[in-house]
Amino acid sequence: MHYTRDNMATLLRGHDINPTHQRIEIAHALFSRQEHLSADQVMAIVNTRHSETSKATVYNTLKLFLDKGLVREVIVDPSKVFYDPNTLPHHHLYEVDTGKLSDIDAMHVRISGLPDLPDGMVTEGIDLIVRVRRAA
Amino acid sequence: MHYTRDNMATLLRGHDINPTHQRIEIAHALFSRQEHLSADQVMAIVNTRHSETSKATVYNTLKLFLDKGLVREVIVDPSKVFYDPNTLPHHHLYEVDTGKLSDIDAMHVRISGLPDLPDGMVTEGIDLIVRVRRAA
DNA sequence: TCCCCGATCTGGACTTTGTCTAATTCCCGG
DNA sequence: CCGGGAATTAGACAAAGTCCAGATCGGGGA
Ligand SMILES: [Mn+2]
Ligand SMILES: [Mn+2]
Ligand SMILES: [Zn+2]
Ligand SMILES: [Zn+2]
């Protein structure tokens, strides 16, 4: 499956999102790269040739994608949020010097011994972040 | 052991921090409460009676405490950093609706199956965040 | 085809969190 | 009681994100 713009439109419809020009471009930026991107980076990618999509639309669209479950948020850097086209359960490796963020498959990772949740609470997600840096 | 201001001074000296008036107040805010506080909250606490400590000093001091290993940073909310007086290994439970953040003792939690680190990298820390919300 | 109208997009003002700097104040050691 | 390095400060600045009122888009019906 190639990440053509037509396929992006289908993907959006499948998530109950009306596929507009801007939304298709933003989805294409994320899915064709399969990378973690900040709003800023999405903005830059989508407006490389000439300015086409406003800041407001980039932020609104990323929030829409998030609500519809098309992307996931990764909170790892206090200064910006990353958006992740990979919504399968997985964890993250964060290189603190470079800011590089990569996926860790959740398949083989086991987390045990967590306490019971407070009553009437449900888990929305478990984020595991391994922070690494160059050996001194 | 009570969290008196005198004890705060001793604590600071033990971490190679010159105990000034402002630093003692900020340490006292964090340690007497044993809670996760944002810079803003620290600022408010320290300046309740009348303004005593500037914004610049609050930020500078929290960063100093962080560098000296007196507190830890917790990154769970995209809009602000929390400072944690508990530097023992532990994880966090985050209630997404309320913003309430609480500790999970790392003692009984086991994480296994993490992949080997890239060469020349060392782990700086492993953050585990359980995001929960009120059952629908 | 043409028009209509709800959905979408937009510029730009605004807010919040955090950083920076040059000037002042503090306080310890002599 | 100085002198001077360390610490603090006000306020300007920056970056990420939000918000709003007005402009534009575009697809279905006449
Ligand atoms: Mn999906
Ligand atoms: Mn910020
Ligand atoms: Zn990821
Ligand atoms: Zn904690």
Side-chain angles (χ1 to χ4, degrees), chain A residues 26 39-40 42-43 46-47 53-63:
Chain A
I26 291 171
D40 231 34
V42 169
M43 179 90 169
V46 153
N47 290 329
T53 303
S54 72
K55 185 171 66 149
T57 296
V58 169
Y59 277 98
N60 290 341
T61 300
L62 290 171
K63 190 165 294 170

Side-chain angles (χ1 to χ4, degrees), chain B residues 4-16:
Chain B
T4 62
R5 276 151 179 91
D6 274 5
N7 288 338
M8 289 302 99
T10 308
L11 178 67
L12 293 179
R13 277 190 212 95
H15 284 259
D16 253 319

Side-chain angles (χ1 to χ4, degrees), chain A residues 12-68:
Chain A
L12 294 179
R13 278 191 211 93
H15 284 257
D16 253 318
I17 299 168
N18 193 14
T20 66
H21 281 324
Q22 289 89 340
R23 288 169 183 175
I24 287 170
E25 285 308 311
I26 291 171
H28 187 257
L30 282 160
F31 285 91
S32 70
R33 281 172 185 73
Q34 290 290 347
E35 271 173 22
H36 307 86
L37 299 178
S38 65
D40 231 34
Q41 291 175 305
V42 169
M43 179 90 169
I45 291 168
V46 153
N47 290 329
T48 28
R49 301 186 155 277
H50 44 84
S51 185
E52 294 168 327
T53 303
S54 72
K55 185 171 66 149
T57 296
V58 169
Y59 277 98
N60 290 341
T61 300
L62 290 171
K63 190 165 294 170
L64 178 69
F65 286 5
L66 188 65
D67 289 346
K68 298 294 189 177

Side-chain angles (χ1 to χ4, degrees), chain B residues 30-101:
Chain B
L30 282 160
F31 285 90
S32 69
R33 281 172 186 73
Q34 290 290 348
E35 272 173 21
H36 307 87
L37 300 178
S38 65
D40 229 35
Q41 292 175 304
V42 169
M43 179 89 170
I45 291 168
V46 155
N47 290 328
T48 28
R49 301 186 155 278
H50 45 83
S51 186
E52 293 168 326
T53 304
S54 73
K55 185 171 64 150
T57 295
V58 169
Y59 277 99
N60 289 342
T61 300
L62 290 171
K63 190 166 292 169
L64 178 70
F65 286 4
L66 188 65
D67 289 347
K68 297 295 189 176
L70 188 62
V71 302
R72 183 222 259 230
E73 239 178 5
V74 184
I75 299 166
V76 283
D77 180 319
S79 74
K80 64 184 80 161
V81 171
F82 287 99
Y83 292 88
D84 190 342
N86 180 358
T87 54
L88 298 175
H90 70 279
H91 305 299
H92 290 100
L93 184 86
Y94 186 60
E95 301 181 22
V96 294
D97 342 282
T98 62
K100 190 163 162 265
L101 185 59

